[in-house]
Amino acid sequence: MKRILSIISILFACAILVPFPSAPQKTASAETTQEMYAVAEKDGVWFYSEPLSEKGLFILPESYYVRVLDNGDLFCQVQYLNKTGYCKRSDLLFVDFVPARPFLYYDYTLSYTMDNNTAVGNGSLSSIERTVSFYGTFLHGTETYYYVCADGIYDYVPKTQEIIYEKNTDYLVPASAGGETENKPVSSGGLSGVEIAVICIVCAACIAVAFFVLRGKKPPIARSDEQVDF
């Protein structure tokens, strides 16, 4: 009997030590990284300096995103590039993933040309060029200005050239090329069907081994009372 129990114990230990495939890991998403993004799906989405309609700072580039810092009822506190401000919640399309390129990075050279007819100097600095980062457009009456940043300073400059940029289509196909979402559910931590099947097979093997061991063991011959010892 002790031999049978030993065999069953060894087989049960092997069943416990059988390696099972690890649970699939969840891919990066807005939920796992604690980040929320929303896209300016249409033209005319304003970025505000304060949560007030009259505090419009510039119009976001169409099809690009803001990172949502505080999801309010009317205005959301957001971040665009290095600028923190507000957007109307109703103007944004919220997404459930982290975009690959949320912001538009667009630098261009701003040129200043001054009148050469000066009373002093030789006019060598009558034309000055400076690289600025484009944030968005601003409408003032019939005039269009650009809101730009240069060396950490934000200000408006007249529209001296057309800003042409590639539209961001990340929000149209947020997952793989096949159109299926990449945000797979996390395993609940319980045993999978394969794991349960393996355990059942091993347990059945233990029972079978015990059965054949018991069947193969011959019972001891009973001693007859009439048997005479010599």
Side-chain angles (χ1 to χ4, degrees):
M1 187 65 182
K2 292 182 179 180
R3 181 183 176 186
I4 297 173
L5 293 176
S6 300
I7 294 175
I8 295 176
S9 300
I10 293 173
L11 292 175
F12 184 73
C14 292
I16 296 176
L17 296 177
V18 171
F20 297 110
S22 59
Q25 299 295 323
K26 190 173 183 181
T27 55
S29 66
E31 180 182 356
T32 57
T33 57
Q34 300 301 318
E35 293 183 0
M36 182 182 298
Y37 286 84
V39 62
E41 185 185 19
K42 57 186 178 181
D43 189 23
V45 177
W46 280 88
F47 183 98
Y48 301 88
S49 59
E50 299 179 29
L52 298 170
S53 298
E54 61 271 18
K55 294 294 183 178
L57 204 58
F58 59 89
I59 298 174
L60 288 165
E62 181 185 352
S63 76
Y64 283 86
Y65 297 75
V66 291
R67 181 183 176 187
V68 181
L69 305 177
D70 186 12
N71 196 356
D73 294 333
L74 183 59
F75 284 88
C76 298
Q77 186 179 28
V78 299
Q79 176 188 346
Y80 179 75
L81 290 173
N82 295 326
K83 195 73 175 175
T84 301
Y86 298 86
C87 283
K88 289 184 178 180
R89 180 183 176 86
S90 58
D91 290 342
L92 299 173
L93 173 64
F94 288 79
V95 298
D96 60 354
F97 61 93
V98 177
R101 48 184 187 125
F103 312 131
L104 172 64
Y105 293 93
Y106 192 104
D107 293 345
Y108 74 100
T109 302
L110 185 64
S111 300
Y112 292 93
T113 302
M114 297 177 290
D115 187 3
N116 289 330
N117 297 326
T118 177
V120 293
N122 55 17
S124 59
L125 297 178
S126 60
S127 179
I128 300 176
E129 294 184 346
R130 187 174 187 180
T131 301
V132 297
S133 298
F134 172 77
Y135 272 64
T137 57
F138 181 84
L139 306 178
H140 181 70
T142 59
E143 300 294 328
T144 300
Y145 294 83
Y146 292 150
Y147 189 77
V148 301
C149 178
D151 300 327
I153 300 175
Y154 300 89
D155 207 344
Y156 298 98
V157 296
K159 176 184 175 181
T160 56
Q161 65 185 72
E162 192 71 29
I163 299 294
I164 301 176
Y165 58 88
E166 180 185 5
K167 294 295 181 65
N168 192 345
T169 58
D170 286 356
Y171 70 98
L172 298 177
V173 186
S176 61
E180 297 179 357
T181 178
E182 293 179 347
N183 298 332
K184 299 180 180 179
V186 182
S187 174
S188 60
L191 295 177
S192 67
V194 176
E195 295 169 347
I196 294 174
V198 172
I199 292 176
C200 292
I201 293 172
V202 175
C203 291
C206 293
I207 296 173
V209 171
F211 173 77
F212 284 112
V213 170
L214 289 174
R215 184 179 180 182
K217 186 176 182 180
K218 296 182 179 180
I221 301 176
R223 182 182 180 87
S224 175
D225 294 336
E226 297 178 356
Q227 185 175 356
V228 179
D229 295 329
F230 293 99

